[in-house]
PDB file of all heavy atoms in Angstrom:
ATOM      1  N   PRO U   1      -5.374   1.921 -17.381  1.00  0.00           N
ATOM      2  CA  PRO U   1      -4.662   1.123 -16.375  1.00  0.00           C
ATOM      3  C   PRO U   1      -3.228   0.852 -16.833  1.00  0.00           C
ATOM      4  O   PRO U   1      -2.996   0.449 -17.972  1.00  0.00           O
ATOM      5  CB  PRO U   1      -5.487  -0.158 -16.304  1.00  0.00           C
ATOM      6  CG  PRO U   1      -6.175  -0.246 -17.630  1.00  0.00           C
ATOM      7  CD  PRO U   1      -6.403   1.148 -18.094  1.00  0.00           C
ATOM      8  N   ILE U   2      -2.267   1.076 -15.948  1.00  0.00           N
ATOM      9  CA  ILE U   2      -0.853   0.921 -16.341  1.00  0.00           C
ATOM     10  C   ILE U   2      -0.147  -0.192 -15.576  1.00  0.00           C
ATOM     11  O   ILE U   2       1.023  -0.462 -15.841  1.00  0.00           O
ATOM     12  CB  ILE U   2      -0.082   2.242 -16.162  1.00  0.00           C
ATOM     13  CG1 ILE U   2      -0.128   2.709 -14.698  1.00  0.00           C
ATOM     14  CG2 ILE U   2      -0.636   3.314 -17.083  1.00  0.00           C
ATOM     15  CD1 ILE U   2       0.740   3.927 -14.421  1.00  0.00           C
ATOM     16  N   GLY U   3      -0.821  -0.835 -14.633  1.00  0.00           N
ATOM     17  CA  GLY U   3      -0.171  -1.940 -13.939  1.00  0.00           C
ATOM     18  C   GLY U   3      -0.620  -2.080 -12.506  1.00  0.00           C
ATOM     19  O   GLY U   3      -1.541  -1.397 -12.043  1.00  0.00           O
ATOM     20  N   LEU U   4       0.043  -2.994 -11.795  1.00  0.00           N
ATOM     21  CA  LEU U   4      -0.246  -3.266 -10.390  1.00  0.00           C
ATOM     22  C   LEU U   4       0.819  -2.627  -9.522  1.00  0.00           C
ATOM     23  O   LEU U   4       2.010  -2.653  -9.847  1.00  0.00           O
ATOM     24  CB  LEU U   4      -0.301  -4.769 -10.130  1.00  0.00           C
ATOM     25  CG  LEU U   4      -1.350  -5.566 -10.914  1.00  0.00           C
ATOM     26  CD1 LEU U   4      -1.238  -7.048 -10.584  1.00  0.00           C
ATOM     27  CD2 LEU U   4      -2.758  -5.060 -10.616  1.00  0.00           C
ATOM     28  N   PHE U   5       0.390  -2.062  -8.412  1.00  0.00           N
ATOM     29  CA  PHE U   5       1.326  -1.448  -7.470  1.00  0.00           C
ATOM     30  C   PHE U   5       1.772  -2.489  -6.447  1.00  0.00           C
ATOM     31  O   PHE U   5       0.965  -3.283  -5.954  1.00  0.00           O
ATOM     32  CB  PHE U   5       0.644  -0.285  -6.743  1.00  0.00           C
ATOM     33  CG  PHE U   5       1.523   0.400  -5.744  1.00  0.00           C
ATOM     34  CD1 PHE U   5       2.480   1.318  -6.160  1.00  0.00           C
ATOM     35  CD2 PHE U   5       1.417   0.113  -4.395  1.00  0.00           C
ATOM     36  CE1 PHE U   5       3.299   1.949  -5.243  1.00  0.00           C
ATOM     37  CE2 PHE U   5       2.225   0.738  -3.468  1.00  0.00           C
ATOM     38  CZ  PHE U   5       3.171   1.657  -3.893  1.00  0.00           C
ATOM     39  N   GLY U   6       3.056  -2.455  -6.122  1.00  0.00           N
ATOM     40  CA  GLY U   6       3.592  -3.372  -5.113  1.00  0.00           C
ATOM     41  C   GLY U   6       3.544  -4.821  -5.533  1.00  0.00           C
ATOM     42  O   GLY U   6       3.404  -5.722  -4.693  1.00  0.00           O
ATOM     43  N   LYS U   7       3.646  -5.046  -6.829  1.00  0.00           N
ATOM     44  CA  LYS U   7       3.579  -6.413  -7.337  1.00  0.00           C
ATOM     45  C   LYS U   7       4.741  -7.231  -6.785  1.00  0.00           C
ATOM     46  O   LYS U   7       5.883  -6.800  -6.773  1.00  0.00           O
ATOM     47  CB  LYS U   7       3.629  -6.399  -8.871  1.00  0.00           C
ATOM     48  CG  LYS U   7       3.297  -7.719  -9.516  1.00  0.00           C
ATOM     49  CD  LYS U   7       3.223  -7.577 -11.025  1.00  0.00           C
ATOM     50  CE  LYS U   7       2.839  -8.892 -11.685  1.00  0.00           C
ATOM     51  NZ  LYS U   7       2.762  -8.766 -13.159  1.00  0.00           N
ATOM     52  N   GLY U   8       4.427  -8.423  -6.318  1.00  0.00           N
ATOM     53  CA  GLY U   8       5.457  -9.284  -5.741  1.00  0.00           C
ATOM     54  C   GLY U   8       5.565  -9.177  -4.240  1.00  0.00           C
ATOM     55  O   GLY U   8       6.253  -9.975  -3.600  1.00  0.00           O
ATOM     56  N   THR U   9       4.874  -8.174  -3.642  1.00  0.00           N
ATOM     57  CA  THR U   9       4.876  -8.049  -2.182  1.00  0.00           C
ATOM     58  C   THR U   9       3.655  -8.761  -1.612  1.00  0.00           C
ATOM     59  O   THR U   9       2.731  -9.139  -2.342  1.00  0.00           O
ATOM     60  CB  THR U   9       4.854  -6.571  -1.767  1.00  0.00           C
ATOM     61  OG1 THR U   9       3.666  -5.959  -2.281  1.00  0.00           O
ATOM     62  CG2 THR U   9       6.079  -5.845  -2.315  1.00  0.00           C
ATOM     63  N   GLU U  10       3.651  -8.910  -0.305  1.00  0.00           N
ATOM     64  CA  GLU U  10       2.565  -9.639   0.356  1.00  0.00           C
ATOM     65  C   GLU U  10       1.381  -8.704   0.603  1.00  0.00           C
ATOM     66  O   GLU U  10       1.368  -7.931   1.555  1.00  0.00           O
ATOM     67  CB  GLU U  10       3.041 -10.233   1.678  1.00  0.00           C
ATOM     68  CG  GLU U  10       1.976 -11.123   2.336  1.00  0.00           C
ATOM     69  CD  GLU U  10       2.412 -11.633   3.702  1.00  0.00           C
ATOM     70  OE1 GLU U  10       3.411 -11.115   4.240  1.00  0.00           O
ATOM     71  OE2 GLU U  10       1.751 -12.534   4.230  1.00  0.00           O
ATOM     72  N   ILE U  11       0.403  -8.754  -0.285  1.00  0.00           N
ATOM     73  CA  ILE U  11      -0.854  -8.024  -0.123  1.00  0.00           C
ATOM     74  C   ILE U  11      -1.975  -9.046  -0.242  1.00  0.00           C
ATOM     75  O   ILE U  11      -2.127  -9.689  -1.281  1.00  0.00           O
ATOM     76  CB  ILE U  11      -1.014  -6.922  -1.185  1.00  0.00           C
ATOM     77  CG1 ILE U  11       0.140  -5.921  -1.113  1.00  0.00           C
ATOM     78  CG2 ILE U  11      -2.352  -6.213  -1.011  1.00  0.00           C
ATOM     79  CD1 ILE U  11       0.111  -4.873  -2.202  1.00  0.00           C
ATOM     80  N   VAL U  12      -2.765  -9.214   0.817  1.00  0.00           N
ATOM     81  CA  VAL U  12      -3.786 -10.262   0.847  1.00  0.00           C
ATOM     82  C   VAL U  12      -5.184  -9.671   0.671  1.00  0.00           C
ATOM     83  O   VAL U  12      -5.875  -9.945  -0.310  1.00  0.00           O
ATOM     84  CB  VAL U  12      -3.702 -11.077   2.156  1.00  0.00           C
ATOM     85  CG1 VAL U  12      -4.757 -12.182   2.159  1.00  0.00           C
ATOM     86  CG2 VAL U  12      -2.311 -11.671   2.323  1.00  0.00           C
ATOM     87  N   ASN U  13      -5.624  -8.846   1.630  1.00  0.00           N
ATOM     88  CA  ASN U  13      -6.950  -8.219   1.577  1.00  0.00           C
ATOM     89  C   ASN U  13      -6.825  -6.719   1.872  1.00  0.00           C
ATOM     90  O   ASN U  13      -7.115  -6.270   2.988  1.00  0.00           O
ATOM     91  CB  ASN U  13      -7.915  -8.856   2.585  1.00  0.00           C
ATOM     92  CG  ASN U  13      -8.141 -10.329   2.349  1.00  0.00           C
ATOM     93  OD1 ASN U  13      -7.878 -11.160   3.222  1.00  0.00           O
ATOM     94  ND2 ASN U  13      -8.626 -10.684   1.172  1.00  0.00           N
ATOM     95  N   PRO U  14      -6.407  -5.947   0.889  1.00  0.00           N
ATOM     96  CA  PRO U  14      -6.257  -4.501   1.131  1.00  0.00           C
ATOM     97  C   PRO U  14      -7.609  -3.846   1.392  1.00  0.00           C
ATOM     98  O   PRO U  14      -8.541  -3.997   0.606  1.00  0.00           O
ATOM     99  CB  PRO U  14      -5.622  -3.987  -0.154  1.00  0.00           C
ATOM    100  CG  PRO U  14      -6.027  -4.980  -1.202  1.00  0.00           C
ATOM    101  CD  PRO U  14      -6.080  -6.307  -0.506  1.00  0.00           C
ATOM    102  N   GLU U  15      -7.701  -3.147   2.521  1.00  0.00           N
ATOM    103  CA  GLU U  15      -8.956  -2.521   2.926  1.00  0.00           C
ATOM    104  C   GLU U  15      -8.967  -1.015   2.687  1.00  0.00           C
ATOM    105  O   GLU U  15     -10.005  -0.436   2.387  1.00  0.00           O
ATOM    106  CB  GLU U  15      -9.222  -2.779   4.419  1.00  0.00           C
ATOM    107  CG  GLU U  15      -9.324  -4.239   4.802  1.00  0.00           C
ATOM    108  CD  GLU U  15     -10.628  -4.883   4.367  1.00  0.00           C
ATOM    109  OE1 GLU U  15     -11.509  -4.144   3.892  1.00  0.00           O
ATOM    110  OE2 GLU U  15     -10.768  -6.112   4.496  1.00  0.00           O
ATOM    111  N   ASP U  16      -7.799  -0.380   2.840  1.00  0.00           N
ATOM    112  CA  ASP U  16      -7.741   1.069   2.725  1.00  0.00           C
ATOM    113  C   ASP U  16      -6.360   1.468   2.221  1.00  0.00           C
ATOM    114  O   ASP U  16      -5.370   0.755   2.443  1.00  0.00           O
ATOM    115  CB  ASP U  16      -8.018   1.722   4.087  1.00  0.00           C
ATOM    116  CG  ASP U  16      -8.357   3.202   3.954  1.00  0.00           C
ATOM    117  OD1 ASP U  16      -8.757   3.619   2.852  1.00  0.00           O
ATOM    118  OD2 ASP U  16      -8.213   3.948   4.943  1.00  0.00           O
ATOM    119  N   ILE U  17      -6.310   2.617   1.534  1.00  0.00           N
ATOM    120  CA  ILE U  17      -5.052   3.114   0.995  1.00  0.00           C
ATOM    121  C   ILE U  17      -4.962   4.607   1.270  1.00  0.00           C
ATOM    122  O   ILE U  17      -5.962   5.326   1.203  1.00  0.00           O
ATOM    123  CB  ILE U  17      -4.939   2.817  -0.513  1.00  0.00           C
ATOM    124  CG1 ILE U  17      -3.589   3.311  -1.063  1.00  0.00           C
ATOM    125  CG2 ILE U  17      -6.089   3.414  -1.294  1.00  0.00           C
ATOM    126  CD1 ILE U  17      -3.321   2.878  -2.491  1.00  0.00           C
ATOM    127  N   TYR U  18      -3.751   5.057   1.602  1.00  0.00           N
ATOM    128  CA  TYR U  18      -3.512   6.490   1.795  1.00  0.00           C
ATOM    129  C   TYR U  18      -2.164   6.836   1.191  1.00  0.00           C
ATOM    130  O   TYR U  18      -1.194   6.071   1.321  1.00  0.00           O
ATOM    131  CB  TYR U  18      -3.521   6.865   3.288  1.00  0.00           C
ATOM    132  CG  TYR U  18      -3.242   8.334   3.504  1.00  0.00           C
ATOM    133  CD1 TYR U  18      -4.232   9.281   3.266  1.00  0.00           C
ATOM    134  CD2 TYR U  18      -1.976   8.778   3.902  1.00  0.00           C
ATOM    135  CE1 TYR U  18      -3.983  10.630   3.425  1.00  0.00           C
ATOM    136  CE2 TYR U  18      -1.719  10.126   4.063  1.00  0.00           C
ATOM    137  CZ  TYR U  18      -2.718  11.054   3.821  1.00  0.00           C
ATOM    138  OH  TYR U  18      -2.467  12.385   3.965  1.00  0.00           O
ATOM    139  N   ILE U  19      -2.098   7.993   0.501  1.00  0.00           N
ATOM    140  CA  ILE U  19      -0.855   8.464  -0.113  1.00  0.00           C
ATOM    141  C   ILE U  19      -0.523   9.822   0.483  1.00  0.00           C
ATOM    142  O   ILE U  19      -1.360  10.740   0.449  1.00  0.00           O
ATOM    143  CB  ILE U  19      -0.999   8.561  -1.647  1.00  0.00           C
ATOM    144  CG1 ILE U  19      -1.363   7.192  -2.228  1.00  0.00           C
ATOM    145  CG2 ILE U  19       0.290   9.083  -2.279  1.00  0.00           C
ATOM    146  CD1 ILE U  19      -1.621   7.208  -3.723  1.00  0.00           C
ATOM    147  N   ASP U  20       0.695   9.959   1.051  1.00  0.00           N
ATOM    148  CA  ASP U  20       1.081  11.223   1.682  1.00  0.00           C
ATOM    149  C   ASP U  20       1.684  12.189   0.664  1.00  0.00           C
ATOM    150  O   ASP U  20       1.737  11.910  -0.534  1.00  0.00           O
ATOM    151  CB  ASP U  20       2.020  10.968   2.856  1.00  0.00           C
ATOM    152  CG  ASP U  20       3.357  10.346   2.427  1.00  0.00           C
ATOM    153  OD1 ASP U  20       3.692  10.417   1.224  1.00  0.00           O
ATOM    154  OD2 ASP U  20       4.072   9.801   3.289  1.00  0.00           O
ATOM    155  N   GLN U  21       2.156  13.333   1.154  1.00  0.00           N
ATOM    156  CA  GLN U  21       2.689  14.363   0.277  1.00  0.00           C
ATOM    157  C   GLN U  21       3.972  13.942  -0.436  1.00  0.00           C
ATOM    158  O   GLN U  21       4.343  14.529  -1.449  1.00  0.00           O
ATOM    159  CB  GLN U  21       2.954  15.639   1.091  1.00  0.00           C
ATOM    160  CG  GLN U  21       1.696  16.305   1.620  1.00  0.00           C
ATOM    161  CD  GLN U  21       0.767  16.763   0.509  1.00  0.00           C
ATOM    162  OE1 GLN U  21       1.210  17.305  -0.493  1.00  0.00           O
ATOM    163  NE2 GLN U  21      -0.537  16.536   0.681  1.00  0.00           N
ATOM    164  N   LYS U  22       4.655  12.936   0.089  1.00  0.00           N
ATOM    165  CA  LYS U  22       5.874  12.428  -0.547  1.00  0.00           C
ATOM    166  C   LYS U  22       5.569  11.277  -1.506  1.00  0.00           C
ATOM    167  O   LYS U  22       6.493  10.628  -1.983  1.00  0.00           O
ATOM    168  CB  LYS U  22       6.855  11.959   0.524  1.00  0.00           C
ATOM    169  CG  LYS U  22       7.279  13.049   1.503  1.00  0.00           C
ATOM    170  CD  LYS U  22       8.180  12.475   2.587  1.00  0.00           C
ATOM    171  CE  LYS U  22       8.550  13.539   3.615  1.00  0.00           C
ATOM    172  NZ  LYS U  22       9.383  12.973   4.721  1.00  0.00           N
ATOM    173  N   ASP U  23       4.293  11.048  -1.763  1.00  0.00           N
ATOM    174  CA  ASP U  23       3.840   9.937  -2.607  1.00  0.00           C
ATOM    175  C   ASP U  23       4.219   8.580  -2.031  1.00  0.00           C
ATOM    176  O   ASP U  23       4.370   7.597  -2.757  1.00  0.00           O
ATOM    177  CB  ASP U  23       4.366  10.061  -4.040  1.00  0.00           C
ATOM    178  CG  ASP U  23       3.520  11.022  -4.869  1.00  0.00           C
ATOM    179  OD1 ASP U  23       2.344  11.225  -4.512  1.00  0.00           O
ATOM    180  OD2 ASP U  23       4.040  11.571  -5.857  1.00  0.00           O
ATOM    181  N   GLN U  24       4.362   8.534  -0.705  1.00  0.00           N
ATOM    182  CA  GLN U  24       4.538   7.252  -0.023  1.00  0.00           C
ATOM    183  C   GLN U  24       3.152   6.653   0.221  1.00  0.00           C
ATOM    184  O   GLN U  24       2.214   7.359   0.600  1.00  0.00           O
ATOM    185  CB  GLN U  24       5.294   7.430   1.292  1.00  0.00           C
ATOM    186  CG  GLN U  24       6.712   7.928   1.089  1.00  0.00           C
ATOM    187  CD  GLN U  24       7.439   8.158   2.402  1.00  0.00           C
ATOM    188  OE1 GLN U  24       8.590   7.767   2.565  1.00  0.00           O
ATOM    189  NE2 GLN U  24       6.800   8.807   3.341  1.00  0.00           N
ATOM    190  N   VAL U  25       3.037   5.357  -0.003  1.00  0.00           N
ATOM    191  CA  VAL U  25       1.739   4.688  -0.007  1.00  0.00           C
ATOM    192  C   VAL U  25       1.597   3.807   1.225  1.00  0.00           C
ATOM    193  O   VAL U  25       2.510   3.035   1.554  1.00  0.00           O
ATOM    194  CB  VAL U  25       1.565   3.841  -1.282  1.00  0.00           C
ATOM    195  CG1 VAL U  25       0.210   3.161  -1.302  1.00  0.00           C
ATOM    196  CG2 VAL U  25       1.742   4.718  -2.529  1.00  0.00           C
ATOM    197  N   TYR U  26       0.444   3.926   1.902  1.00  0.00           N
ATOM    198  CA  TYR U  26       0.156   3.135   3.092  1.00  0.00           C
ATOM    199  C   TYR U  26      -1.055   2.255   2.787  1.00  0.00           C
ATOM    200  O   TYR U  26      -2.084   2.743   2.327  1.00  0.00           O
ATOM    201  CB  TYR U  26      -0.153   4.038   4.288  1.00  0.00           C
ATOM    202  CG  TYR U  26       0.976   4.965   4.660  1.00  0.00           C
ATOM    203  CD1 TYR U  26       1.209   6.133   3.935  1.00  0.00           C
ATOM    204  CD2 TYR U  26       1.810   4.687   5.742  1.00  0.00           C
ATOM    205  CE1 TYR U  26       2.246   6.995   4.276  1.00  0.00           C
ATOM    206  CE2 TYR U  26       2.847   5.552   6.088  1.00  0.00           C
ATOM    207  CZ  TYR U  26       3.054   6.695   5.347  1.00  0.00           C
ATOM    208  OH  TYR U  26       4.086   7.543   5.688  1.00  0.00           O
ATOM    209  N   ILE U  27      -0.911   0.953   3.065  1.00  0.00           N
ATOM    210  CA  ILE U  27      -1.978  -0.008   2.798  1.00  0.00           C
ATOM    211  C   ILE U  27      -2.386  -0.687   4.104  1.00  0.00           C
ATOM    212  O   ILE U  27      -1.549  -1.299   4.785  1.00  0.00           O
ATOM    213  CB  ILE U  27      -1.541  -1.086   1.790  1.00  0.00           C
ATOM    214  CG1 ILE U  27      -1.059  -0.452   0.490  1.00  0.00           C
ATOM    215  CG2 ILE U  27      -2.681  -2.069   1.528  1.00  0.00           C
ATOM    216  CD1 ILE U  27      -2.134   0.243  -0.292  1.00  0.00           C
ATOM    217  N   ALA U  28      -3.681  -0.563   4.455  1.00  0.00           N
ATOM    218  CA  ALA U  28      -4.226  -1.315   5.583  1.00  0.00           C
ATOM    219  C   ALA U  28      -4.737  -2.647   5.047  1.00  0.00           C
ATOM    220  O   ALA U  28      -5.622  -2.677   4.200  1.00  0.00           O
ATOM    221  CB  ALA U  28      -5.345  -0.534   6.259  1.00  0.00           C
ATOM    222  N   ASP U  29      -4.179  -3.736   5.547  1.00  0.00           N
ATOM    223  CA  ASP U  29      -4.461  -5.071   5.015  1.00  0.00           C
ATOM    224  C   ASP U  29      -5.020  -5.941   6.132  1.00  0.00           C
ATOM    225  O   ASP U  29      -4.316  -6.291   7.087  1.00  0.00           O
ATOM    226  CB  ASP U  29      -3.176  -5.682   4.454  1.00  0.00           C
ATOM    227  CG  ASP U  29      -3.431  -6.941   3.633  1.00  0.00           C
ATOM    228  OD1 ASP U  29      -4.429  -7.624   3.917  1.00  0.00           O
ATOM    229  OD2 ASP U  29      -2.637  -7.239   2.734  1.00  0.00           O
ATOM    230  N   SER U  30      -6.307  -6.299   6.021  1.00  0.00           N
ATOM    231  CA  SER U  30      -6.918  -7.145   7.047  1.00  0.00           C
ATOM    232  C   SER U  30      -6.461  -8.588   6.925  1.00  0.00           C
ATOM    233  O   SER U  30      -6.563  -9.362   7.880  1.00  0.00           O
ATOM    234  CB  SER U  30      -8.443  -7.072   6.948  1.00  0.00           C
ATOM    235  OG  SER U  30      -8.888  -7.554   5.684  1.00  0.00           O
ATOM    236  N   GLY U  31      -5.947  -8.947   5.753  1.00  0.00           N
ATOM    237  CA  GLY U  31      -5.457 -10.313   5.566  1.00  0.00           C
ATOM    238  C   GLY U  31      -4.161 -10.568   6.306  1.00  0.00           C
ATOM    239  O   GLY U  31      -3.996 -11.602   6.967  1.00  0.00           O
ATOM    240  N   THR U  32      -3.224  -9.618   6.216  1.00  0.00           N
ATOM    241  CA  THR U  32      -1.938  -9.757   6.928  1.00  0.00           C
ATOM    242  C   THR U  32      -1.999  -9.145   8.318  1.00  0.00           C
ATOM    243  O   THR U  32      -1.043  -9.256   9.087  1.00  0.00           O
ATOM    244  CB  THR U  32      -0.819  -9.079   6.134  1.00  0.00           C
ATOM    245  OG1 THR U  32      -1.111  -7.676   6.015  1.00  0.00           O
ATOM    246  CG2 THR U  32      -0.688  -9.690   4.746  1.00  0.00           C
ATOM    247  N   GLN U  33      -3.094  -8.442   8.636  1.00  0.00           N
ATOM    248  CA  GLN U  33      -3.295  -7.762   9.917  1.00  0.00           C
ATOM    249  C   GLN U  33      -2.178  -6.759  10.195  1.00  0.00           C
ATOM    250  O   GLN U  33      -1.725  -6.601  11.329  1.00  0.00           O
ATOM    251  CB  GLN U  33      -3.392  -8.789  11.061  1.00  0.00           C
ATOM    252  CG  GLN U  33      -4.577  -9.733  10.924  1.00  0.00           C
ATOM    253  CD  GLN U  33      -4.641 -10.753  12.044  1.00  0.00           C
ATOM    254  OE1 GLN U  33      -3.632 -11.371  12.386  1.00  0.00           O
ATOM    255  NE2 GLN U  33      -5.826 -10.940  12.605  1.00  0.00           N
ATOM    256  N   THR U  34      -1.779  -6.057   9.146  1.00  0.00           N
ATOM    257  CA  THR U  34      -0.733  -5.045   9.267  1.00  0.00           C
ATOM    258  C   THR U  34      -1.063  -3.856   8.381  1.00  0.00           C
ATOM    259  O   THR U  34      -1.959  -3.910   7.541  1.00  0.00           O
ATOM    260  CB  THR U  34       0.644  -5.588   8.838  1.00  0.00           C
ATOM    261  OG1 THR U  34       0.574  -5.988   7.465  1.00  0.00           O
ATOM    262  CG2 THR U  34       1.082  -6.762   9.701  1.00  0.00           C
ATOM    263  N   VAL U  35      -0.300  -2.793   8.561  1.00  0.00           N
ATOM    264  CA  VAL U  35      -0.275  -1.657   7.642  1.00  0.00           C
ATOM    265  C   VAL U  35       1.116  -1.605   7.038  1.00  0.00           C
ATOM    266  O   VAL U  35       2.119  -1.612   7.762  1.00  0.00           O
ATOM    267  CB  VAL U  35      -0.604  -0.335   8.361  1.00  0.00           C
ATOM    268  CG1 VAL U  35      -0.297   0.860   7.452  1.00  0.00           C
ATOM    269  CG2 VAL U  35      -2.064  -0.299   8.791  1.00  0.00           C
ATOM    270  N   THR U  36       1.187  -1.574   5.717  1.00  0.00           N
ATOM    271  CA  THR U  36       2.471  -1.577   5.019  1.00  0.00           C
ATOM    272  C   THR U  36       2.691  -0.234   4.358  1.00  0.00           C
ATOM    273  O   THR U  36       1.797   0.318   3.720  1.00  0.00           O
ATOM    274  CB  THR U  36       2.513  -2.682   3.952  1.00  0.00           C
ATOM    275  OG1 THR U  36       2.174  -3.931   4.558  1.00  0.00           O
ATOM    276  CG2 THR U  36       3.898  -2.782   3.330  1.00  0.00           C
ATOM    277  N   LYS U  37       3.927   0.267   4.526  1.00  0.00           N
ATOM    278  CA  LYS U  37       4.317   1.538   3.921  1.00  0.00           C
ATOM    279  C   LYS U  37       5.233   1.254   2.730  1.00  0.00           C
ATOM    280  O   LYS U  37       6.215   0.527   2.848  1.00  0.00           O
ATOM    281  CB  LYS U  37       5.026   2.411   4.950  1.00  0.00           C
ATOM    282  CG  LYS U  37       5.558   3.735   4.439  1.00  0.00           C
ATOM    283  CD  LYS U  37       6.267   4.475   5.566  1.00  0.00           C
ATOM    284  CE  LYS U  37       6.887   5.772   5.114  1.00  0.00           C
ATOM    285  NZ  LYS U  37       7.604   6.452   6.228  1.00  0.00           N
ATOM    286  N   PHE U  38       4.891   1.835   1.555  1.00  0.00           N
ATOM    287  CA  PHE U  38       5.661   1.647   0.331  1.00  0.00           C
ATOM    288  C   PHE U  38       6.218   2.988  -0.141  1.00  0.00           C
ATOM    289  O   PHE U  38       5.649   4.048   0.168  1.00  0.00           O
ATOM    290  CB  PHE U  38       4.770   1.089  -0.796  1.00  0.00           C
ATOM    291  CG  PHE U  38       4.155  -0.248  -0.527  1.00  0.00           C
ATOM    292  CD1 PHE U  38       2.965  -0.360   0.187  1.00  0.00           C
ATOM    293  CD2 PHE U  38       4.750  -1.415  -0.994  1.00  0.00           C
ATOM    294  CE1 PHE U  38       2.386  -1.592   0.420  1.00  0.00           C
ATOM    295  CE2 PHE U  38       4.170  -2.653  -0.774  1.00  0.00           C
ATOM    296  CZ  PHE U  38       2.988  -2.748  -0.053  1.00  0.00           C
ATOM    297  N   ASP U  39       7.310   2.923  -0.904  1.00  0.00           N
ATOM    298  CA  ASP U  39       7.718   4.126  -1.618  1.00  0.00           C
ATOM    299  C   ASP U  39       6.918   4.208  -2.909  1.00  0.00           C
ATOM    300  O   ASP U  39       6.105   3.327  -3.211  1.00  0.00           O
ATOM    301  CB  ASP U  39       9.231   4.144  -1.875  1.00  0.00           C
ATOM    302  CG  ASP U  39       9.695   3.010  -2.790  1.00  0.00           C
ATOM    303  OD1 ASP U  39       8.849   2.388  -3.469  1.00  0.00           O
ATOM    304  OD2 ASP U  39      10.907   2.735  -2.814  1.00  0.00           O
ATOM    305  N   GLU U  40       7.123   5.262  -3.709  1.00  0.00           N
ATOM    306  CA  GLU U  40       6.294   5.468  -4.897  1.00  0.00           C
ATOM    307  C   GLU U  40       6.515   4.407  -5.964  1.00  0.00           C
ATOM    308  O   GLU U  40       5.690   4.261  -6.887  1.00  0.00           O
ATOM    309  CB  GLU U  40       6.557   6.852  -5.485  1.00  0.00           C
ATOM    310  CG  GLU U  40       7.987   7.108  -5.875  1.00  0.00           C
ATOM    311  CD  GLU U  40       8.183   8.524  -6.390  1.00  0.00           C
ATOM    312  OE1 GLU U  40       7.245   9.056  -7.029  1.00  0.00           O
ATOM    313  OE2 GLU U  40       9.248   9.105  -6.158  1.00  0.00           O
TER     314      GLU U  40
END
């Protein structure tokens, strides 16, 4: 383990994660009722 991803951002109840070919990360969060897109 090397650390936490997206530390300091609003992540409450992450339900699902997807990483595309550009290593961009998508988080489905039922706590915030949103999907958040992150860079690598």
Side-chain angles (χ1 to χ4, degrees):
I2 60 174
L4 300 178
F5 179 79
K7 191 174 182 180
T9 60
E10 186 184 13
I11 301 175
V12 181
N13 300 121
E15 300 286 352
D16 196 21
I17 182 172
Y18 179 77
I19 301 176
D20 64 18
Q21 293 298 318
K22 300 176 183 177
D23 279 337
Q24 296 178 135
V25 181
Y26 300 79
I27 304 293
D29 192 332
S30 62
T32 62
Q33 298 179 313
T34 61
V35 169
T36 307
K37 177 181 177 182
F38 299 85
D39 64 16
E40 58 183 326

